[in-house]
Amino acid sequence: MTTCWYEGALAAFDTETTGVDVETDRIVSAAVVVQDAPGVRPRVSRWLVNPGVTVPAEATAVHGLTEEHLQRNGRWPSPVMYEIAEALAEQAHAGRPVVVMNAPFDLTLLDRELRRHRASSLGRWFESAPLLVLDPRVLDKHLDRYRKGRRTLTDLCAHYGVALEGAHDAAADAVAALEVTRAVGRRFASRLERLTPGELHTLQAVWHAAQARGLQAWFARSGVEEAVDPAWPLRPDLPAAA
């Protein structure tokens, strides 16, 4: 019998950034981790970026990376974004699913950085082999939709009994998200084990859109004027501003 996706090889991707706006904020560090099987030590690729813009104190308070440190130790964004996209494309060609917690944030940021620094886009890297994304936030929210409480990576780690050491370090967060995704797979095995990563990728896009509509309706009832983007795992490019 073939191995279920959550007991097989998985990769994971995570970033740390200058803020939370995917259109204007920048990546300051990133990691891609690859784990060939559960319990095996993951292979970790890390990048540190000098974003060329101010790093707000609020962002440094989250990930601990100061503007001075990044200027001294970070690399220029252009080659880094190429290398990250190449690393993700390698996973796609290997047919290895990539775990990305809150995928529309990290993947859209990477897409915008590729457009900004390389006149490219993330989609171009997956024309010959699709990127199969597993988003533990979308999976957990769909499979356990009535559970109360927040669903940040820290919350999901606590709920699924996953150790999170060094939170807000890209590599530590990527490894934790990968382990949470395996735990979600095992807990909901009866609903997930027959699905291929490709089928699950398609379903998550549908689930995320439904979740976005639900959140938008909740905002409307609460009088919050905030738009929720239903796109997953990548937000479409905005028309160029005049």
Side-chain angles (χ1 to χ4, degrees), residues 21 74 83 86 132 136 231:
D21 186 327
E83 289 169 19
E86 191 173 48
L132 302 175

Side-chain angles (χ1 to χ4, degrees), residues 214-226:
L215 182 58
Q216 191 76 75
W218 186 82
F219 279 160
R221 289 194 302 274
S222 306
V224 177
E225 291 187 15
E226 186 174 330

Side-chain angles (χ1 to χ4, degrees), residues 111-132:
D111 174 75
R112 303 310 191 252
E113 290 278 45
L114 287 164
R115 292 170 188 270
R116 188 177 290 126
H117 297 291
R118 302 203 64 90
S120 181
S121 70
L122 190 56
R124 289 186 194 173
W125 289 85
F126 306 109
E127 286 168 354
S128 59
L131 183 68
L132 302 175

Side-chain angles (χ1 to χ4, degrees), residues 154-230:
T154 303
D155 298 317
L156 294 186
C157 285
H159 182 71
Y160 287 97
V162 170
L164 176 54
E165 293 161 15
H168 299 297
D169 166 81
D173 285 358
V175 170
L178 189 152
E179 294 296 348
V180 165
T181 301
R182 291 199 191 280
V184 171
R186 291 174 187 134
R187 184 166 300 186
F188 298 99
S190 62
R191 296 164 68 183
L192 295 175
E193 63 187 355
R194 292 179 186 84
L195 296 170
T196 67
E199 290 167 335
L200 205 46
H201 181 101
T202 303
L203 284 169
Q204 285 171 102
V206 176
W207 296 344
H208 179 271
Q211 291 163 10
R213 286 193 300 270
L215 182 58
Q216 191 76 75
W218 186 82
F219 279 160
R221 289 194 302 274
S222 306
V224 177
E225 291 187 15
E226 186 174 330
V228 184
D229 197 320

Side-chain angles (χ1 to χ4, degrees), residues 66-103:
T66 64
E67 192 170 329
E68 183 187 29
H69 178 77
L70 293 167
Q71 286 174 349
R72 192 183 306 125
N73 301 292
R75 295 167 58 206
W76 289 115
S78 179
V80 171
M81 300 314 149
Y82 180 93
E83 289 169 19
I84 296 170
E86 191 173 48
L88 292 175
E90 279 177 24
Q91 309 313 313
H93 281 283
R96 192 180 292 119
V98 179
V99 172
V100 191
M101 172 76 185
N102 192 14

